[in-house]
Amino acid sequence: MKPLEIKSLTKRYGRDRGVEDISFDIEQGEIFGYLGPNGAGKTTTIRCIMGLLRASSGSINVLGQKVKAGKATCHKCIGYLPGDFRIWGSLKAKRSLEVLAALGDSEISKKNRLELAEKLELNLDRKVWQLSKGNRQKVGLIYALQHEPEILILDEPTSGLDPLVSQVVLEIIREAAGNGATVLLSSHDLSEVSAVCGRAAILREGKLVELAPISTIVQEGHGQLKIWFVEGSAVPELPAEQLPGVREIKRKGLMLHLEYSGKVDAVLKWLGKYSVSRMSTPETSLEDAFMQYYSKDAGQQGGRA
Amino acid sequence: MKDTKVSFPFSLLRFWFWRILWLWMLVGFFIFIIQIIECFIAQDNDQIKLTLEILDKMPGFIKDAIGGELMQVGNTTGFIAMSYQHPLVLILYMVFAVCVPTGLLAGHVQSGAMELILSRSVTKNQVYICAVILTTLGMIALVMLMFLGTVTGVNMCEYSEQVRLWPFFRASIVGGLLSGTGAGVALFAAAVFRSRGRAIGLAVSFFIINYFVELIAEWWPKAEFLGPTSIFYYIDSAKVLFGENWPIGDMAVLFSISVVSIVAGGVIWNRRDLPL
């Protein structure tokens, strides 16, 4: 039994698309990235896992129990941070967290709450409305983590946080996973996903378009090559018909920056005709790979998040 | 693995109780004070005559709306009972009956806090039941406070005739059932709408439309047939105050409307996607 199993999940909002035929599972102690642009269906999937939305079809199992909408299936064991964390503004952060903790396991929560507040450098005695967006997000993180959940579902956890605090948050997530928690990390910040996740799923227009280890996703991306030609020579034009799948990104002085898919052999053969001073292969990032999945439909995103 | 059983969220009930307490106290205070003031007015025949003179100069439906022929010099009980159906008292009840459920359900959905509540170990049904409990108990407590106001006022004043308190208890219960229908409709609206404004709009419209339908039905003979469609039709002051028996039929209608509204709201709340 895996802590979180999703099978053929489909959620429609009337005629509108939510998500379609999503399947994946997460191992215990794994940090799983859930990627996609706004409107791809990340939040819809998460709300179905939380039983806030009723799935149109398919099934979700949390810790071996089938999720039923509105029945709080295994919620004592889940730490959830919504994408848009909003809490009672008139209450002190501490009081808000106490109230929410009391709806589960409040004994464990108190000690953890204080430790987490210290790590995140957050004053819990201030009223929520007085807190900045970043500090409110910290309250959300404490809310998700304070009861030592077995499953963590985090929707854009570092949204609104400065880079230093983001690092602390990622460290806390790593630590939780190290202690056996299963983490679903939804994000469109690719650097944080590549920093902490072992595997990731990429969602496009409600459908899963990739589900693989981060390293595989990166490898599947286009390769890049930077070539510097020797002084005095001209930078040649790219023979597009001879080099299918090769695209010029930039040309500056004696430098030519190319992007290629598949093997680099053909490019190297073509370069043999010219005097090359040096070459470099910029590392393909998750971001590059990610952009490929979206380049087709950029600007056409729709539906609910 | 932790215990995954979902127990009743008494902590949510407590938390919500403290959040609505100020409103209950404010509404309760005014209802209580109005009853005492009315008792003082009713002990002074000159004051009664003056009030009746003012009312007689106004359109007939206004006097009908707050007691009609029960309000006469010498009919102390009828005069005190005026405050049981005074529009101001009805508005106070309406404020509580509408604001509490819409605030607890639609208000929390709108503010985003409902997503947090429902992501803890609380089912949707339990959340709805908490709102029903607080609304219902709040209304019952207000009704009791209104009766207590009359008891206090009657004991503080001296009347030429003996004022029996039992009819006022009966009037409180029937009045409470009337307000309960409003609370039921408000719970229904709160369960249906995401926006608190819309939920309040529906509940207030229900009250106002019913009130005016009853007034029109009483005032205009051709519209008399509309009477039974209004909840106010099922409050007959003379029957409640001076009748031998409880108006069981009328009470059953009001009670049924409340129950049907609350159950329908619960079904919709349970089936609805939240927090959308």
Side-chain angles (χ1 to χ4, degrees):
Chain A
M1 179 198 78
K2 290 176 180 169
L4 184 60
E5 295 170 311
I6 298 176
K7 284 179 195 154
S8 308
L9 173 71
T10 297
K11 171 66 190 173
R12 291 190 198 93
Y13 301 99
R15 285 184 176 180
D16 291 343
R17 164 188 63 72
V19 290
E20 212 168 306
D21 199 23
I22 303 280
S23 296
F24 64 86
D25 47 49
I26 312 179
E27 303 277 353
Q28 190 186 350
E30 182 183 7
I31 306 177
F32 183 85
Y34 202 47
L35 292 163
N38 294 334
K42 302 187 299 290
T43 303
T44 295
T45 311
I46 285 174
R47 285 178 172 167
C48 286
I49 297 170
M50 295 305 296
L52 298 167
L53 299 180
R54 195 177 291 270
S56 304
S57 64
S59 68
I60 300 168
N61 284 294
V62 173
L63 299 169
Q65 286 191 40
K66 190 176 176 185
V67 172
K68 289 179 185 163
K71 300 289 179 204
T73 314
C74 293
H75 279 193
K76 270 186 191 168
C77 309
I78 299 178
Y80 173 54
L81 174 67
D84 180 18
F85 179 79
R86 288 180 293 160
I87 199 167
W88 304 282
S90 58
L91 298 184
K92 284 182 181 174
K94 191 166 97 182
R95 176 75 185 124
S96 296
L97 290 168
E98 279 169 2
V99 168
L100 291 166
L103 297 170
D105 201 338
S106 56
E107 283 169 31
I108 304 172
S109 303
K110 192 179 174 185
K111 185 176 144 272
N112 286 339
R113 190 183 311 138
L114 299 173
E115 278 178 16
L116 286 163
E118 204 173 310
K119 273 187 193 170
L120 294 167
E121 295 175 1
L122 178 67
N123 179 2
L124 291 175
D125 286 321
R126 292 185 73 186
K127 291 200 170 171
V128 173
W129 69 266
Q130 294 172 322
L131 299 174
S132 65
K133 188 178 182 296
N135 281 341
R136 277 204 292 271
Q137 185 71 359
K138 289 180 188 176
V139 176
L141 280 159
I142 297 175
Y143 157 69
L145 291 155
Q146 65 178 349
H147 54 289
E148 284 181 2
E150 289 175 51
I151 295 179
L152 263 173
I153 297 175
L154 308 171
D155 199 352
E156 317 235 348
T158 56
S159 160
L161 300 178
D162 64 55
L164 282 176
V165 180
S166 294
Q167 286 309 310
V168 176
V169 170
L170 295 181
E171 193 47 51
I172 291 171
I173 294 171
R174 271 194 215 102
E175 205 177 292
N179 291 333
T182 303
V183 185
L184 174 65
L185 177 69
S186 158
S187 178
H188 44 221
D189 183 345
L190 305 162
S191 59
E192 80 181 19
V193 170
S194 56
V196 292
C197 297
R199 275 194 314 150
I202 299 180
L203 210 58
R204 183 175 70 200
E205 291 185 339
K207 289 180 183 164
L208 214 57
V209 290
E210 185 61 277
L211 172 62
I214 294 288
S215 54
T216 310
I217 293 175
V218 170
Q219 277 165 18
E220 280 175 8
H222 290 296
Q224 290 186 18
L225 202 58
K226 274 187 178 176
I227 308 131
W228 283 266
F229 293 90
V230 291
E231 201 77 39
S233 64
V235 177
E237 287 300 316
L238 196 68
E241 69 287 352
Q242 286 175 35
L243 299 170
V246 182
R247 188 172 70 87
E248 184 179 311
I249 296 176
K250 198 177 176 184
R251 167 189 294 262
K252 192 179 178 187
L254 293 169
M255 190 274 289
L256 181 64
H257 188 177
L258 301 176
E259 181 187 81
Y260 65 93
S261 58
K263 290 185 176 174
V264 73
D265 295 12
V267 183
L268 294 177
K269 271 184 195 161
W270 170 69
L271 283 173
K273 298 181 215 164
Y274 304 96
S275 302
V276 173
S277 161
R278 63 190 172 96
M279 283 199 299
S280 77
T281 51
E283 197 179 331
T284 309
S285 65
L286 180 62
E287 193 156 349
D288 297 323
F290 183 76
M291 287 311 290
Q292 287 168 50
Y293 287 104
Y294 291 100
S295 54
K296 273 198 287 180
D297 63 345
Q300 296 172 23
Q301 293 148 11
R304 292 180 208 215
Chain B
M1 195 170 81
K2 287 176 191 172
D3 172 25
T4 56
K5 209 177 83 187
V6 178
S7 45
F8 191 80
F10 287 104
S11 57
L12 180 68
L13 200 64
R14 257 195 316 274
F15 174 63
W16 277 359
F17 169 77
W18 289 112
R19 280 182 80 84
I20 65 162
L21 185 63
W22 69 272
L23 180 65
W24 184 88
M25 288 175 75
L26 192 71
V27 169
F29 171 77
F30 282 113
I31 288 178
F32 186 77
I33 291 295
I34 288 170
Q35 304 315 311
I36 293 176
I37 291 170
E38 192 61 34
C39 289
F40 273 95
I41 294 173
Q43 73 173 345
D44 183 346
N45 278 337
D46 293 336
Q47 288 266 28
I48 294 174
K49 276 179 197 161
L50 183 66
T51 309
L52 290 175
E53 274 172 26
I54 294 168
L55 285 172
D56 285 340
K57 283 176 189 161
M58 292 179 176
F61 69 87
I62 294 181
K63 189 175 174 186
D64 287 344
I66 55 176
E69 293 310 310
L70 286 176
M71 292 168 50
Q72 289 171 12
V73 178
N75 184 358
T76 312
T77 302
F79 207 84
I80 294 174
M82 187 178 95
S83 60
Y84 277 55
Q85 47 192 325
H86 194 284
L88 182 61
V89 174
L90 291 177
I91 287 171
L92 284 168
Y93 270 112
M94 192 174 74
V95 165
F96 184 85
V98 170
C99 289
V100 168
T102 57
L104 296 182
L105 297 177
H108 273 71
V109 171
Q110 197 177 349
S111 73
M114 188 58 77
E115 186 167 6
L116 301 180
I117 292 171
L118 288 173
S119 69
R120 303 297 297 127
S121 194
V122 185
T123 68
K124 265 158 81 171
N125 280 340
Q126 288 173 336
V127 167
Y128 187 74
I129 289 167
C130 284
V132 171
I133 289 173
L134 289 170
T135 309
T136 313
L137 289 184
M139 294 298 290
I140 291 171
L142 283 179
V143 165
M144 290 300 114
L145 199 63
M146 181 164 79
F147 176 62
L148 193 67
T150 305
V151 173
T152 310
V154 167
N155 283 310
M156 287 165 81
C157 302
E158 283 180 13
Y159 299 101
S160 51
E161 59 173 298
Q162 195 199 350
V163 177
R164 291 192 310 138
L165 289 168
W166 174 245
F168 291 104
F169 178 71
R170 205 155 59 185
S172 304
I173 300 295
V174 179
L177 281 172
L178 177 76
S179 310
T181 58
V185 171
L187 274 160
F188 174 81
V192 171
F193 292 114
R194 184 186 194 278
S195 147
R196 188 182 186 189
R198 282 188 189 180
I200 289 177
L202 179 74
V204 171
S205 305
F206 173 80
F207 258 115
I208 292 174
I209 290 169
N210 273 273
Y211 191 70
F212 282 101
V213 164
E214 170 63 2
L215 278 187
I216 292 166
E218 273 198 4
W219 187 51
W220 190 27
K222 281 186 180 173
E224 203 180 338
F225 70 95
L226 286 173
T229 63
S230 163
I231 53 170
F232 294 95
Y233 175 84
Y234 301 96
I235 294 278
D236 183 340
S237 310
K239 221 194 287 184
V240 173
L241 288 169
F242 302 109
E244 287 295 311
N245 302 313
W246 286 80
I248 298 294
D250 292 347
M251 289 169 73
V253 171
L254 295 173
F255 184 71
S256 304
I257 295 170
S258 308
V259 171
V260 168
S261 308
I262 291 170
V263 170
V267 170
I268 290 172
W269 175 260
N270 190 37
R271 298 200 63 78
R272 212 183 119 189
D273 275 344
L274 289 168
L276 300 169

